[in-house]
Amino acid sequence: AQTVTQSQPEMSVQEAETVTLSCTYDTSESDYYLFWYKQPPSRQMILVIRQEAYKQQNATENRFSVNFQKAAKSFSLKISDSQLGDAAMYFCAYRSDTGTASKLTFGTGTRLQVTL
Amino acid sequence: GAVVSQHPSRVICKSGTSVKIECRSLDFQATTMFWYRQFPKQSLMLMATSNEGSKATYEQGVEKDKFLINHASLTLSTLTVTSAHPEDSSFYICSASLLWTGTGGYTFGSGTRLTVV
């Protein structure tokens, strides 16, 4: 079974600075998807960024980018120019590429605080 | 975009009663729906996977007779917590697969906070 590990329960960053959230995963599969989700206090899950394992290029979405190291099974999230609205729980998640019933496996989450 | 509407957002019920949570896909057909449970300050734990027109697949340790899942149509999936007890108090979230979009992604409902008193 796949596992996702987030080793940072809490992180803090100053507004306008850059922060990197860590995620590692364990799998024997070669094709899969990785995600970062944000859960603000409203508890609505919001997709931040997605990476297909077959793509070597790291995904980027505006201020959010990932460092995907397939051999090391590492998938970190970098948030640049942090804003107060970035404060939330961030979950790393893994999905097998095995069809429509493929489920998400979540890490334990990292709580990000953004300070002035 | 693909939206899943989840109701109710909050519910308080008495111990021993049943509560139904609904998730509706508003602008697409959700062939597969996932139901999660989230305890305070913890991650999302998958409870079950439901496919339209067939029985749900429950994760190990989840009581299928207590958490009844129905996915009778392509736009509606329900989770019924039967004979609820205080330990069932939690945050429940549904999620629909968006694999048909080619994005490999999912869309989530806004969650239901269940409190059993």
Side-chain angles (χ1 to χ4, degrees), chain A residues 48-67:
Chain A
V48 174
I49 201 163
R50 172 183 57 243
Q51 175 81 42
E52 292 90 335
Y54 66 86
K55 290 186 177 179
Q56 292 187 331
Q57 188 173 5
N58 289 323
T60 301
E61 288 287 342
N62 300 313
R63 298 183 294 108
F64 300 88
S65 62
V66 298
N67 183 0

Side-chain angles (χ1 to χ4, degrees), chain A residues 33 35 37 39 41-47 50 52 89 91 95-96 99-109 111, chain B residues 31-32 34 36 38-44 46 49 51 59 91 93 95 97 99 102-106 108-110 113:
Chain A
Y33 293 81
F35 304 84
Y37 281 93
Q39 189 180 41
S42 68
R43 304 190 78 169
Q44 174 71 57
M45 295 291 285
I46 300 167
L47 176 65
R50 172 183 57 243
E52 292 90 335
M89 279 290 289
F91 293 100
R95 199 214 105 201
S96 299
T100 59
S102 196
K103 64 184 182 183
L104 277 173
T105 300
F106 287 92
T108 51
R111 182 172 299 280
Chain B
T31 54
T32 302
F34 303 90
Y36 295 88
Q38 185 179 29
F39 289 106
K41 298 185 179 180
Q42 293 190 24
S43 188
L44 281 72
L46 181 66
T49 302
N51 290 292
E59 296 297 303
F91 192 71
I93 307 175
S95 174
S97 168
L99 298 186
T103 64
Y106 304 80
F108 288 80
S110 53
R113 183 183 301 279

Side-chain angles (χ1 to χ4, degrees), chain A residues 19-33:
Chain A
V19 65
T20 298
L21 307 185
S22 301
C23 173
T24 58
Y25 58 95
D26 187 26
T27 185
S28 58
E29 300 172 334
S30 58
D31 293 324
Y32 49 87
Y33 293 81

Side-chain angles (χ1 to χ4, degrees), chain B residues 83-103:
Chain B
S83 186
H85 290 283
E87 58 266 29
D88 300 324
S89 298
S90 190
F91 192 71
Y92 294 88
I93 307 175
C94 62
S95 174
S97 168
L98 296 178
L99 298 186
W100 50 271
T101 65
T103 64

Side-chain angles (χ1 to χ4, degrees), chain B residues 11-29:
Chain B
V11 59
I12 301 173
C13 71
K14 290 185 177 180
S15 188
T17 62
S18 295
V19 173
K20 180 183 285 188
I21 301 169
E22 292 188 348
C23 279
R24 292 181 183 274
S25 55
L26 299 185
D27 48 3
F28 69 102
Q29 294 181 330

Side-chain angles (χ1 to χ4, degrees), chain B residues 41-116:
Chain B
K41 298 185 179 180
Q42 293 190 24
S43 188
L44 281 72
M45 299 301 297
L46 181 66
M47 299 174 65
T49 302
S50 73
N51 290 292
E52 185 269 336
S54 62
K55 289 185 178 180
T57 302
Y58 290 81
E59 296 297 303
Q60 192 171 11
V62 177
E63 299 175 61
K64 61 179 68 176
D65 293 333
K66 181 167 192 59
F67 299 99
L68 299 179
I69 291 172
N70 184 283
H71 197 158
S73 79
L74 287 171
T75 58
L76 175 64
S77 179
T78 61
L79 166 66
T80 301
V81 183
T82 63
S83 186
H85 290 283
E87 58 266 29
D88 300 324
S89 298
S90 190
F91 192 71
Y92 294 88
I93 307 175
C94 62
S95 174
S97 168
L98 296 178
L99 298 186
W100 50 271
T101 65
T103 64
Y106 304 80
T107 184
F108 288 80
S110 53
T112 298
R113 183 183 301 279
L114 170 63
T115 303
V116 185

